[in-house]
Amino acid sequence: MARKKETITIYDVAREAGVSMATVSRVVNGNPNVKPVTRKKVLDTIRRMGYRPNAVARGLASKKTTTVGVVIPDISNAFFAELTRGIEDIATMYHYNIILCNSDLKKEKELQLTEALLEKQVDGLLFLGGEVTEEHREVFSGSHVPIVLAATQDQREERPSVITDQVGSAQEATEVLIREGHERIGFLGGPLTDPIIGYPRYQGYRQALEEAGRALDESQIRLGNYRYDSGYELAMELLKGDAAPTALFGVNDEMAVGAIHAVQDLGKRVPEDVSVIGFDNVPLATQVRPLLSTVAVPMYDIGAVAMRLLTKYMNDETVEQNQVVLQNQLQLRDSTRLQEAE
Amino acid sequence: MARKKETITIYDVAREAGVSMATVSRVVNGNPNVKPVTRKKVLDTIRRMGYRPNAVARGLASKKTTTVGVVIPDISNAFFAELTRGIEDIATMYHYNIILCNSDLKKEKELQLTEALLEKQVDGLLFLGGEVTEEHREVFSGSHVPIVLAATQDQREERPSVITDQVGSAQEATEVLIREGHERIGFLGGPLTDPIIGYPRYQGYRQALEEAGRALDESQIRLGNYRYDSGYELAMELLKGDAAPTALFGVNDEMAVGAIHAVQDLGKRVPEDVSVIGFDNVPLATQVRPLLSTVAVPMYDIGAVAMRLLTKYMNDETVEQNQVVLQNQLQLRDSTRLQEAE
DNA sequence: CTGTTAGCGCTTTCAC
DNA sequence: GTGAAAGCGCTAACAG
């Protein structure tokens, strides 16, 4: 049985087994250059002594920690939780562990966390969700470990990243509403200062109207914080106004579902009276009545692909494509009248 | 500016600043025994050279990694995501980072992950959600780092843990339904072999009926997998049966909301025709119509308190109470007719 | 196939 | 207040 008092080291095992440290190290690391008999002997004493290799020492000596850092806005957000699952699954597959840090999208926190992660000698870093500023670039470039961006990108395009086409998908979503023939299409958005979600999705909405030859009606636009309550209240405002919209585009599902309930609480029906479409396709989208039409974002895949990409960099594999764009998929369900995409 | 080619070490800084490694180490660690002038000089060259302390080397020398391991069933599950947020916030507050691992509640994975985390020399470990078996105890005891359980406990009660009273709360929830005067109260549960959620919540249901002098009607019991779809389908089954229940207790909110929709899809109303109560109080509970009555579990707090408890152990503080029980709170909303607790 | 020997970069006595 | 030196536990040449 394992004694716990003083930690037992590779040296102890070597002595006990009557071999050198190097040999023990070899069997621990699966190096084939060890005679089977020796290997067995070592393995036995390892088990007998309850030896547990010290990964920190190993990390110092080998300059590899088999750990990657993940900077994420907020793990309690369904979108990022799912994305993180994708990251972790692939990380596990390649025998990496992940150090998870919530940034709340605060620049200072992002920088400080990145710095801390780099100090911990992570073999790679996944940076999610925030805007990449000049300061970020500085911190990033102060390190030689590979860094890949997920669900965000450097506007100056010099970092590997995996993203989806937000503008295009937001435009498609809006087009569905336009094709349904609505006069007034309300927009429930996020801060326009948010270059990752808020702005691009707004841009898609605008572009759709524009291409349809419609004027942008400022009074149909409401900006919130991506949360259910915000969607509910903003939709209420719009719906109670003089020129109530008959269709609503929520830039994420939470806001869209809030909008559905606002419509319903006003005694109207979705989609008969008001059509609603969302974005993301989080579980909530199919846990509401009517089922929410939305843009399905491959959250899990974004995480998985980003992590996979990172492993390639960490292994110095050649990567053919460092900026991968995953496809979103329009998912028309019951909160819109149109049931099929063009 | 920081050059990135060869890593710059504490030794380089010392040489450049014309002091010894020890001094640099002191200023980096905020040791007060350094003359202000010297400190400034060192700080300057650190900044100038772009020196970044190597936490791995530090960890090896000091035997502290300021990192804690977290073994969790599934981060993409809203319950655990929120709990993890509590953990991470407190960890950050105490300057720890967390290594996050998903176990999917698989014993083998739990053991293997715990082992890996221990090898990485985490200063402490948070173990969430799974059953603690003899094998777990063995792995746990093979280490001297503090381990605290969150949202689970060792039946043999020898580990620090933070939990809530599941049986009692499940009983309370069921009692609400009983007080509403329902003849048949359906139960939508999880596997009874799950000692953490499935069984205790079932036990609470049973106990409530028992204390009310009611016989347990097996035909009103359906076991699923905690998911929305499972709740929906199982409720459908029950509702379409000969002896359709007029009240449903879902052991978690997802199942309960699934049940609400089953009722609605059958053309009936909640709570007029069928009352529904859930458990957990995840965001979904307030993102559905009618608002779901449920048992509010302090998810964030469970994580936060567990992490706080762990820090105490890591700092060798004396802890007065190592088994903390947090309170759940009955949250009656619109899916039940009763609007106030006893 | 196996052992020897340097470090990896930092903390930590122990002197001065 | 500061420096010298001995490790922390392991990997990685390099011999043999």
Side-chain angles (χ1 to χ4, degrees), chain A residues 229-243:
Chain A
D229 290 341
S230 155
Y232 181 87
E233 282 154 27
L234 264 19
M236 259 314 179
E237 251 180 69
L238 243 25
L239 261 9
K240 284 179 170 171
D242 299 332

Side-chain angles (χ1 to χ4, degrees), chain A residues 173 176-177 248-250 256 275-279 292-294 330 332 335-336:
Chain A
V176 169
L177 268 16
L248 256 11
F249 171 32
S275 285
V276 177
I277 194 164
F279 206 118
L292 182 69
S293 291
T294 191
L330 204 50
L332 265 18
S335 68
T336 49

Side-chain angles (χ1 to χ4, degrees), chain A residues 1-216:
Chain A
M1 273 315 80
R3 282 282 64 78
K4 73 248 299 249
K5 214 58 257 180
E6 49 284 311
T7 64
I8 100 115
T9 76
I10 199 173
Y11 178 74
D12 299 321
V13 176
R15 188 165 30 67
E16 271 290 302
V19 297
S20 73
M21 287 167 54
T23 299
V24 178
S25 175
R26 288 192 186 95
V27 346
V28 168
N29 292 296
N31 183 317
N33 290 59
V34 180
K35 209 191 320 179
V37 198
T38 315
R39 177 185 306 283
K40 181 171 184 335
K41 185 172 57 180
V42 173
L43 248 19
D44 284 350
T45 74
I46 282 180
R47 201 165 349 259
R48 181 159 47 76
M49 303 181 73
Y51 168 65
R52 177 147 44 204
N54 180 326
V56 171
R58 180 185 302 194
L60 182 58
S62 69
K63 294 176 173 306
K64 283 192 190 331
T65 55
T66 60
T67 302
V68 316
V70 177
V71 175
I72 201 171
D74 177 14
I75 191 62
S76 66
N77 175 136
F79 183 90
F80 292 112
E82 180 68 17
L83 209 150
T84 301
R85 194 43 153 108
I87 293 173
E88 220 263 332
D89 282 355
I90 304 304
T92 299
M93 191 173 299
Y94 287 87
H95 305 292
Y96 284 98
N97 285 119
I98 67 174
I99 296 185
L100 209 258
C101 304
N102 294 106
S103 70
D104 289 315
L105 239 31
K106 303 253 177 44
K107 189 173 75 174
E108 281 318 315
K109 266 185 111 171
E110 290 176 345
L111 297 173
Q112 180 248 311
L113 290 170
T114 302
E115 192 67 45
L117 255 9
L118 260 15
E119 285 187 8
K120 292 214 168 170
Q121 310 301 118
V122 292
D123 294 338
L125 186 70
L126 245 27
F127 185 87
L128 312 224
E131 180 182 9
V132 177
T133 69
E134 196 50 59
E135 290 169 82
H136 286 80
R137 292 189 197 97
E138 195 163 317
V139 175
F140 289 173
S141 68
S143 156
H144 52 141
V145 309
I147 297 178
V148 353
L149 310 176
T152 184
Q153 63 181 318
D154 189 331
Q155 309 298 338
R156 281 176 27 194
E157 307 200 80
E158 25 183 55
R159 283 274 159 200
S161 61
V162 8
I163 55 172
T164 62
D165 178 14
Q166 309 237 33
V167 179
S169 295
Q171 181 171 343
E172 277 183 55
T174 309
E175 281 166 359
V176 169
L177 268 16
I178 293 175
R179 281 207 303 282
E180 283 192 352
H182 299 280
E183 193 63 37
R184 288 178 298 281
I185 300 176
F187 177 80
L188 306 170
L192 262 28
T193 48
D194 169 4
I196 308 305
I197 306 281
Y199 190 69
R201 295 187 186 176
Y202 165 71
Q203 207 185 342
Y205 165 77
R206 235 183 36 184
Q207 236 164 254
L209 293 181
E210 208 164 277
E211 290 187 12
R214 312 272 214 101
L216 187 71

Side-chain angles (χ1 to χ4, degrees), chain A residues 1-5 7 50-60 63 65-67 73-78 81-82 84-85 88-89 92 95-104 109 112-121 138-144 228-229 232 254 257 261-262 264-265 284 286-289 291, chain B residues 1-5 7 50-60 63 65-67 73-78 81-82 84-85 88-89 92 95-104 109 112-121 138-144 228-229 232 254 257 261-262 264-265 284 286-289 291:
Chain A
M1 273 315 80
R3 282 282 64 78
K4 73 248 299 249
K5 214 58 257 180
T7 64
Y51 168 65
R52 177 147 44 204
N54 180 326
V56 171
R58 180 185 302 194
L60 182 58
K63 294 176 173 306
T65 55
T66 60
T67 302
D74 177 14
I75 191 62
S76 66
N77 175 136
E82 180 68 17
T84 301
R85 194 43 153 108
E88 220 263 332
D89 282 355
T92 299
H95 305 292
Y96 284 98
N97 285 119
I98 67 174
I99 296 185
L100 209 258
C101 304
N102 294 106
S103 70
D104 289 315
K109 266 185 111 171
Q112 180 248 311
L113 290 170
T114 302
E115 192 67 45
L117 255 9
L118 260 15
E119 285 187 8
K120 292 214 168 170
Q121 310 301 118
E138 195 163 317
V139 175
F140 289 173
S141 68
S143 156
H144 52 141
Y228 173 89
D229 290 341
Y232 181 87
E254 280 81 359
V257 170
H261 291 148
Q264 292 175 161
D265 286 359
L284 176 63
T286 50
Q287 298 174 173
V288 64
R289 286 300 131 86
L291 296 173
Chain B
M1 269 321 73
R3 281 282 63 78
K4 70 253 295 254
K5 214 57 260 177
T7 64
Y51 168 64
R52 178 146 43 204
N54 181 326
V56 171
R58 181 184 302 195
L60 182 57
K63 295 177 171 308
T65 55
T66 60
T67 302
D74 178 13
I75 191 63
S76 66
N77 174 133
E82 181 67 15
T84 302
R85 194 45 153 109
E88 220 264 332
D89 282 355
T92 299
H95 304 293
Y96 284 98
N97 284 120
I98 68 174
I99 297 185
L100 209 258
C101 304
N102 294 107
S103 70
D104 288 316
K109 267 184 109 172
Q112 181 248 311
L113 291 171
T114 301
E115 193 67 46
L117 255 10
L118 259 17
E119 285 187 7
K120 292 215 168 170
Q121 310 300 119
E138 195 164 315
V139 175
F140 289 173
S141 68
S143 156
H144 53 141
Y228 174 88
D229 290 341
Y232 182 87
E254 281 81 358
V257 171
H261 291 148
Q264 292 174 162
D265 286 359
L284 176 62
T286 50
Q287 299 175 172
V288 64
R289 288 300 130 90
L291 296 173

Side-chain angles (χ1 to χ4, degrees), chain B residues 19-326:
Chain B
V19 298
S20 72
M21 288 168 53
T23 299
V24 178
S25 175
R26 287 191 186 96
V27 345
V28 168
N29 292 295
N31 183 318
N33 290 60
V34 180
K35 209 190 319 180
V37 199
T38 315
R39 176 184 306 283
K40 181 172 182 338
K41 184 173 57 180
V42 173
L43 247 18
D44 283 350
T45 74
I46 282 180
R47 203 169 344 264
R48 181 158 49 76
M49 303 180 73
Y51 168 64
R52 178 146 43 204
N54 181 326
V56 171
R58 181 184 302 195
L60 182 57
S62 69
K63 295 177 171 308
K64 285 193 189 329
T65 55
T66 60
T67 302
V68 317
V70 177
V71 175
I72 200 171
D74 178 13
I75 191 63
S76 66
N77 174 133
F79 184 90
F80 291 112
E82 181 67 15
L83 209 151
T84 302
R85 194 45 153 109
I87 293 173
E88 220 264 332
D89 282 355
I90 304 303
T92 299
M93 190 173 300
Y94 286 88
H95 304 293
Y96 284 98
N97 284 120
I98 68 174
I99 297 185
L100 209 258
C101 304
N102 294 107
S103 70
D104 288 316
L105 240 29
K106 303 252 178 42
K107 189 174 75 176
E108 281 318 315
K109 267 184 109 172
E110 290 176 345
L111 297 173
Q112 181 248 311
L113 291 171
T114 301
E115 193 67 46
L117 255 10
L118 259 17
E119 285 187 7
K120 292 215 168 170
Q121 310 300 119
V122 292
D123 294 338
L125 186 69
L126 245 28
F127 185 87
L128 313 224
E131 181 183 8
V132 177
T133 69
E134 195 51 59
E135 289 170 81
H136 286 79
R137 291 190 197 96
E138 195 164 315
V139 175
F140 289 173
S141 68
S143 156
H144 53 141
V145 309
I147 298 179
V148 353
L149 310 176
T152 183
Q153 63 181 319
D154 188 331
Q155 310 298 340
R156 279 177 27 195
E157 305 201 82
E158 27 183 53
R159 282 276 159 199
S161 61
V162 6
I163 55 171
T164 62
D165 178 14
Q166 308 237 35
V167 179
S169 296
Q171 180 171 344
E172 276 183 56
T174 309
E175 281 167 359
V176 169
L177 269 16
I178 292 176
R179 280 206 304 282
E180 284 190 351
H182 299 281
E183 193 62 38
R184 289 178 299 280
I185 299 175
F187 178 81
L188 306 170
L192 262 27
T193 50
D194 169 4
I196 307 305
I197 305 281
Y199 189 69
R201 295 187 186 178
Y202 164 72
Q203 207 185 341
Y205 166 77
R206 235 183 36 185
Q207 236 164 256
L209 293 182
E210 207 165 277
E211 291 189 9
R214 312 271 216 100
L216 186 72
D217 181 354
E218 300 276 356
S219 74
Q220 294 296 322
I221 293 179
R222 288 292 185 285
L223 270 20
N225 62 6
Y226 306 124
R227 292 226 269 270
Y228 174 88
D229 290 341
S230 157
Y232 182 87
E233 283 154 27
L234 264 19
M236 258 318 178
E237 250 180 69
L238 243 26
L239 260 11
K240 284 178 170 171
D242 297 333
T246 55
L248 256 10
F249 171 32
V251 297
N252 71 350
D253 293 340
E254 281 81 358
M255 290 187 86
V257 171
I260 286 183
H261 291 148
V263 171
Q264 292 174 162
D265 286 359
L266 248 23
K268 297 188 186 176
R269 289 177 313 165
V270 175
E272 292 81 353
D273 301 314
V274 181
S275 284
V276 177
I277 194 164
F279 205 118
D280 282 350
N281 197 32
V282 292
L284 176 62
T286 50
Q287 299 175 172
V288 64
R289 288 300 130 90
L291 296 173
L292 182 68
S293 291
T294 190
V295 173
V297 177
M299 303 166 277
Y300 183 93
D301 294 347
I302 293 176
V305 170
M307 184 64 213
R308 178 64 185 106
L309 185 55
L310 186 57
T311 64
K312 289 187 182 173
Y313 282 109
M314 295 190 293
N315 295 328
D316 292 314
E317 294 175 35
T318 58
V319 337
E320 58 299 325
Q321 194 190 175
N322 68 341
Q323 310 253 128
V324 2
V325 178
L326 263 22

